[in-house]
Amino acid sequence: MLARIRLRQLIFALLIADGVLMGLTVAVAFARPTVWVFAMLALLALEGLVFVAALRAAGRGGFERAITTISVSIWTGALAASWLSPFTLPLHVVAALIPAISAIPYVRRRRLLLYCLATLATTFGCAALALPVITSVVAPVVAKYLATIGFPAVTAPVLLVVWHTAATLGDMAAIARRNADALRSSRRLLAEHAEQLTCSRARLVAATDAERRRLEQDLHDGAQQQLVAVAITLRLAGQSAATDPASSIELIGEAGELLQTAIAEIRRLAQGIYPPLLAREGLQGALPAAADRSPVPARVRVDGIGRYRPDIETAL
């Protein structure tokens, strides 16, 4: 979009300049009508038509074709104008520089070299066409040759600046492409990391929920049932205390045993969350104790195990 806008702006500027030159030529034709003046007017009108055709090509996206059409038209017009109006040679030389300068964003560097060479050849051609007429004027020879050959000679460093500018812009474009690729890669990695974090969070939530349900189940099936049995046993002991003291004492003893079992179960659950033995002795003391409670027979070797962070020891 930006390339189309800039190319259209260039063509509009060329059309405006062409219109101004046509107006000046018409004014000259009224003051002094000659064949040369009408030939110049026809040349400017033809260039205007070519610029309109290039404008239509640019609107359809044919940027390189449009800039090529403009360039050929300008080079041809500069040569013809130098022959028709030799004393306006500086204008023709400046006009011949426009294609090489304006083609930088639209052509490759190898083709831009052809534009620069064509521009240099055009400027020297303009000087060669204007030279016979300018040398016929009464003036110092050095001034005559400076007024002709000097202008295209100056275009050589200008074209060199154009070439270096194109090289710099090409390097900047390459750097921008690499930065864009790196940004896309970073965004892709960031999206992958975000997805991994989401999955990890889901696994953590699921593990926490499963552990909570396990603790609830253990409390319900273990300590809670035993405490209910203690309550029932004590109620029975209370009911038989008056009629059968011996049975009541026996029931109270059973209730005490059930209570000790419930305390042991609660202690086991508490130690499963974060065993005091683990905090006190580390993995060397906690792992054998965990193996003793395992329903599967296990033997533990803890030689050389030191202390680690609490979260690591708890996970193990």
Side-chain angles (χ1 to χ4, degrees), residues 188-225:
R188 185 173 60 254
L189 291 175
L190 183 60
E192 292 176 357
H193 291 164
E195 184 178 358
Q196 293 174 0
L197 180 61
T198 301
C199 295
S200 177
R201 183 183 301 166
R203 289 193 300 269
L204 181 60
V205 171
T208 303
D209 189 57
E211 183 67 16
R212 179 184 57 80
R213 288 196 299 270
R214 185 188 67 81
L215 290 175
E216 291 176 352
Q217 188 67 30
D218 289 345
L219 286 172
H220 180 271
D221 296 342
Q224 182 177 347
Q225 295 295 330

Side-chain angles (χ1 to χ4, degrees), residues 285-308:
L287 286 177
D292 292 339
R293 296 193 304 270
S294 174
V296 179
R299 184 177 60 182
V300 180
R301 295 178 58 185
V302 292
D303 300 336
I305 296 181
R307 296 305 302 265
Y308 297 90

Side-chain angles (χ1 to χ4, degrees), residues 83-265:
W83 180 64
L84 293 173
S85 179
F87 294 102
T88 56
L89 177 63
L91 293 178
H92 310 150
V93 172
V94 172
L97 288 171
I98 294 176
I101 297 174
S102 59
I104 292 177
Y106 305 102
V107 299
R108 298 179 180 178
R109 288 185 61 190
R110 183 176 298 178
R111 190 158 186 178
L112 182 63
L113 180 61
L114 297 178
Y115 274 73
C116 293
L117 294 176
T119 299
L120 193 62
T122 301
T123 55
F124 276 100
C126 292
L129 291 172
L131 185 60
V133 177
I134 293 179
T135 53
S136 64
V137 178
V138 179
V141 177
V142 176
K144 295 178 183 179
Y145 282 95
L146 286 177
T148 52
I149 306 300
F151 288 114
V154 173
T155 62
V158 174
L159 293 174
L160 184 61
V161 172
V162 171
W163 178 255
H164 287 315
T165 301
T168 302
L169 292 177
D171 294 339
M172 293 175 63
I175 294 173
R177 284 193 296 270
R178 288 196 296 269
N179 291 339
D181 293 339
L183 180 60
R184 283 193 293 269
S185 178
S186 298
R187 292 178 62 182
R188 185 173 60 254
L189 291 175
L190 183 60
E192 292 176 357
H193 291 164
E195 184 178 358
Q196 293 174 0
L197 180 61
T198 301
C199 295
S200 177
R201 183 183 301 166
R203 289 193 300 269
L204 181 60
V205 171
T208 303
D209 189 57
E211 183 67 16
R212 179 184 57 80
R213 288 196 299 270
R214 185 188 67 81
L215 290 175
E216 291 176 352
Q217 188 67 30
D218 289 345
L219 286 172
H220 180 271
D221 296 342
Q224 182 177 347
Q225 295 295 330
Q226 292 166 359
L227 290 175
V228 170
V230 170
I232 295 173
T233 303
L234 291 176
R235 187 179 301 112
L236 293 175
Q239 292 175 357
S240 61
T243 59
D244 190 358
S247 177
S248 177
I249 294 173
E250 183 178 353
L251 289 174
I252 292 174
E254 291 178 4
E257 293 177 359
L258 291 173
L259 186 59
Q260 292 297 325
T261 304
I263 293 172
E265 181 66 19

Side-chain angles (χ1 to χ4, degrees), residues 8-83:
R8 289 170 64 89
Q9 289 175 347
L10 171 65
I11 298 174
F12 279 125
L14 291 174
L15 285 172
I16 292 173
D18 191 73
V20 171
L21 291 176
M22 286 184 66
L24 294 175
T25 306
V26 169
V28 173
F30 278 110
R32 189 177 179 182
T34 62
V35 176
W36 300 101
V37 172
F38 287 108
M40 181 66 73
L41 188 60
L43 177 63
L44 292 173
L46 182 61
E47 281 191 342
L49 293 176
V50 173
F51 293 155
V52 171
L55 183 62
R56 295 182 60 185
R60 293 191 295 267
F63 301 144
E64 189 168 354
R65 183 174 60 183
I67 202 69
T68 301
T69 302
I70 293 171
S71 301
V72 173
S73 174
I74 290 176
W75 290 329
T76 305
L79 290 171
S82 298
W83 180 64

